[in-house]
């Protein structure tokens, strides 16, 4: 499907030099035709000299962008010579006015004032060449034409200057926004790396324990040793997947830990009820629902879902008052779908909680990063998922997280080695 192109857009796409050349040629040709056809009695015939002087007045308009002052002086000189030769003023009267517009649109007021005086003198001369106009009309014309042209040209110059400043400001803001986004992504990556430390440590601990046990019981209980090897295989594969995800996203980022910061246990979907209770204490009604058959998920996937819900509920506390929020966790065969929606009753809800003495509960919900949506999307991308956030047509806001998960294993008894 073709997009519609407006005439104004087509005109802006034309090379300005071609437009100026077309203007110069068109005005010169029109002035020559009118001078030849309109020939009152008492005026000299429009001969070759008149053609040459008309061209001298009109053709310099082709350079009114590159050399506006030169174009104005040349045009005024050609028109003055045309009048001095006694020819009837024609459309070449407008050549100096158009040249003055080019000066006013591209040169400072001091230069424009001198050029306007020159243009006014030429216009006054043209009025004297036609005695039927009278002295009053001639003076008004000599003052009014340069003043009007100067006003429009100066407005165009001011607008162009503002557009240049706006373009420079927009470029600077764009660079600053990119820098802030890179900083936010870097901070979020380091925070995710610290949290995934527990995931990798857990996998290595399980592998180490099971490997030691398998070696110990291998001569006397080969079935238990085989079950321990199966557990080692599954745990190592899951650990490799976690490492592959983090290395893909954090290939060049440092973890930012100094080795002294304590690592808290990684929360999961089971911790959402506690988060919901804290948010309710802050004055927001939260309805936590679960659909589908729940099953154990990789710790990193549960952590991602937990943090996204936590961040979304924190945003509700910041930006909505007495909002009704629904958190829906759907377990599907190959994906985990988490949706957080609110009805959009705006206003800071945290103020009421602070007055009620719930400030400590608010602090526990989630530390604000200032880059909530960026953090959500980075977390989801780490596990191959997506985050869709935006306003709803019926009002309010919705955040939807989709994470791919492995298919549920078939039901049945399974031997596990003793720990």
């Amino acid at each position: 499907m073709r997009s519609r192109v407006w005439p104004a857009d087509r005109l802006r796409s034309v090379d300005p030099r071609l437009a100026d050349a077309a203007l110069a040629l068109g005005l010169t040709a029109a002035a020559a035709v009118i001078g030849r056809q309109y020939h009152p009695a008492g005026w000299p015939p429009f001969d070759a000299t008149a053609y040459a002087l008309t061209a001298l007045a009109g053709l310099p308009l082709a350079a009114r962008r590159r050399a506006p002052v030169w174009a104005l002086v040349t045009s005024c000189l050609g028109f003055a010579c045309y009048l001095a030769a006694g020819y009837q003023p024609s459309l070449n009267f407008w050549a100096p006015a158009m040249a003055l517009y080019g000066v006013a649109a591209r040169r400072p007021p001091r230069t424009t004032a001198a050029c306007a005086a020159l243009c006014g003198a030429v216009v006054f001369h043209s009025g004297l060449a036609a005695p039927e106009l009278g002295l009053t009309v001639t003076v008004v014309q000599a003052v009014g034409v340069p003043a009007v042209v100067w006003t429009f040209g100066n407005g165009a110059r001011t607008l162009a200057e503002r557009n240049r400043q706006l373009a420079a400001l927009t470029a600077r803001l764009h660079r600053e926004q990119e820098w802030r986004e890179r900083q936010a992504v870097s901070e979020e990556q380091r925070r995710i790396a610290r949290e995934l430390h527990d995931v990798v440590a857990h996998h290595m601990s399980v592998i180490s324990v099971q490997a030691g046990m398998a070696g110990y019981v291998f001569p006397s209980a080969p079935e238990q040793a085989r079950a321990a090897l199966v557990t080692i295989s599954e745990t190592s594969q899951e650990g490799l997947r976690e490492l592959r995800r983090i290395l893909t996203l954090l290939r060049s980022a440092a973890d930012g830990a100094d080795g002294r910061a304590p690592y808290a246990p990684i929360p999961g979907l089971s911790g959402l009820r506690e988060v919901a209770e804290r948010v309710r204490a802050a004055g927001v009604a939260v309805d936590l629902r679960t659909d589908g058959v729940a099953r154990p998920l990789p710790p990193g996937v549960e952590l991602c879902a937990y943090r996204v819900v936590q961040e979304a509920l924190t945003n509700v506390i910041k930006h909505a008052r007495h909002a009704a929020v629904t958190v829906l966790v759907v377990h599907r065969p190959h994906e985990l779908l988490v949706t957080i929606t609110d009805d959009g009753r705006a206003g800071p809800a945290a103020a009421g909680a602070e007055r009620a003495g719930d400030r400590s509960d608010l602090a526990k919900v989630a530390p604000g990063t200032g880059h909530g949506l960026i953090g959500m999307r980075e977390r989801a991308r780490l596990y191959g998922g997506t985050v869709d956030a935006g306003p709803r047509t019926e009002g309010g806001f919705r955040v939807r997280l989709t994470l791919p998960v492995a298919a549920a294993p078939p039901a049945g008894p399974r031997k596990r080695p003793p720990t």
Side-chain angles (χ1 to χ4, degrees):
M1 181 178 180
R2 294 183 178 180
S3 58
R4 184 175 182 180
V5 180
W6 297 95
D9 296 332
R10 293 180 178 176
L11 291 177
R12 281 192 291 267
S13 64
V14 176
D15 190 343
R17 294 173 297 181
L18 295 179
D20 290 341
L23 174 64
L25 291 174
L27 181 62
T28 301
V33 171
I34 295 299
R36 182 72 175 178
Q37 298 296 329
Y38 178 71
H39 185 258
W43 293 91
F46 201 87
D47 52 13
T49 303
Y51 279 112
L53 294 176
T54 298
L56 182 62
L59 293 181
L61 292 177
R64 69 188 187 99
R65 296 177 191 267
R66 293 169 293 175
V69 176
W70 176 87
L72 174 72
V73 173
T74 306
S75 180
C76 288
L77 177 62
F79 188 49
C81 293
Y82 177 89
L83 295 173
Y87 295 108
Q88 162 72 14
S90 180
L91 290 181
N92 46 22
F93 167 88
W94 293 104
M98 293 184 179
L100 177 61
Y101 179 87
V103 175
R106 292 166 183 83
R107 293 295 181 267
R110 181 176 299 180
T111 302
T112 305
C115 293
L118 177 61
C119 180
V122 174
V123 172
F124 183 76
H125 185 193
S126 68
L128 295 179
E132 65 274 8
L133 295 179
L135 182 60
T136 302
V137 176
T138 299
V139 172
V140 171
Q141 180 177 265
V143 175
V145 170
V148 171
V149 173
W150 188 356
T151 299
F152 281 96
N154 185 69
R157 182 182 64 84
T158 303
L159 180 60
E161 181 65 24
R162 290 179 179 175
N163 288 338
R164 285 192 293 269
Q165 294 176 356
L166 181 60
L169 179 61
T170 302
R172 188 179 70 181
L173 291 177
H174 182 67
R175 291 192 298 269
E176 291 181 357
Q177 182 181 6
E178 289 182 345
W179 179 83
R180 292 179 184 275
E181 288 181 355
R182 287 194 298 269
Q183 288 295 108
V185 170
S186 179
E187 293 174 1
E188 186 64 22
Q189 288 172 345
R190 288 193 292 268
R191 188 159 70 97
I192 293 172
R194 289 195 297 269
E195 293 173 344
L196 287 179
H197 169 273
D198 281 348
V199 176
V200 177
H202 169 74
H203 292 154
M204 294 298 102
S205 299
V206 172
I207 291 174
S208 176
V209 171
Q210 295 295 332
M213 189 201 66
Y216 179 77
V217 303
F218 185 80
S220 59
E223 290 298 328
Q224 292 184 4
R226 187 177 292 107
L229 292 177
V230 171
T231 302
I232 291 173
S233 175
E234 294 176 351
T235 305
S236 61
Q237 290 177 6
E238 184 176 344
L240 287 175
R241 285 195 296 268
E242 298 288 349
L243 287 175
R244 189 177 297 112
R245 289 177 185 133
I246 190 172
L247 291 177
T248 300
L249 183 63
L250 308 175
R251 188 171 299 165
S252 60
D255 60 5
D258 57 5
R260 295 174 295 179
Y263 291 95
I266 291 184
L269 295 178
S270 60
L272 292 181
R273 295 190 179 277
E274 183 180 355
V275 175
E277 291 297 331
R278 293 172 183 166
V279 175
R280 292 189 188 104
V284 179
V286 180
D287 183 14
L288 181 60
R289 303 176 184 176
T290 303
D291 190 16
V293 180
R295 65 182 187 276
L297 298 174
V301 173
E302 290 205 15
L303 170 65
C304 177
Y306 178 90
R307 292 302 188 196
V308 169
V309 173
Q310 193 177 48
E311 185 68 34
L313 293 179
T314 303
N315 289 337
V316 173
I317 294 175
K318 293 178 180 178
H319 305 296
R321 172 179 293 175
H322 309 308
V325 185
T326 300
V327 179
L328 178 60
V329 181
V330 180
H331 294 270
R332 293 178 177 174
H334 297 282
E335 67 179 4
L336 176 68
L337 180 63
V338 182
T339 306
I340 307 98
T341 58
D342 67 86
D343 56 10
R345 282 176 278 185
E354 291 179 359
R355 290 193 297 268
D358 295 329
R359 189 173 299 182
S360 60
D361 285 337
L362 282 174
K364 294 178 182 177
V365 173
T369 63
H371 304 280
L373 291 179
I374 296 177
M376 292 180 190
R377 292 192 175 99
E378 285 299 310
R379 285 183 178 278
R381 190 164 67 91
L382 179 64
Y383 295 96
T386 58
V387 169
D388 179 20
R392 301 190 302 164
T393 56
E394 61 270 30
F397 201 83
R398 181 184 66 185
V399 177
R400 176 177 293 173
L401 167 67
T402 304
L403 293 173
V405 295
R414 182 179 179 183
K415 291 185 178 181
R416 302 292 295 180
T419 58

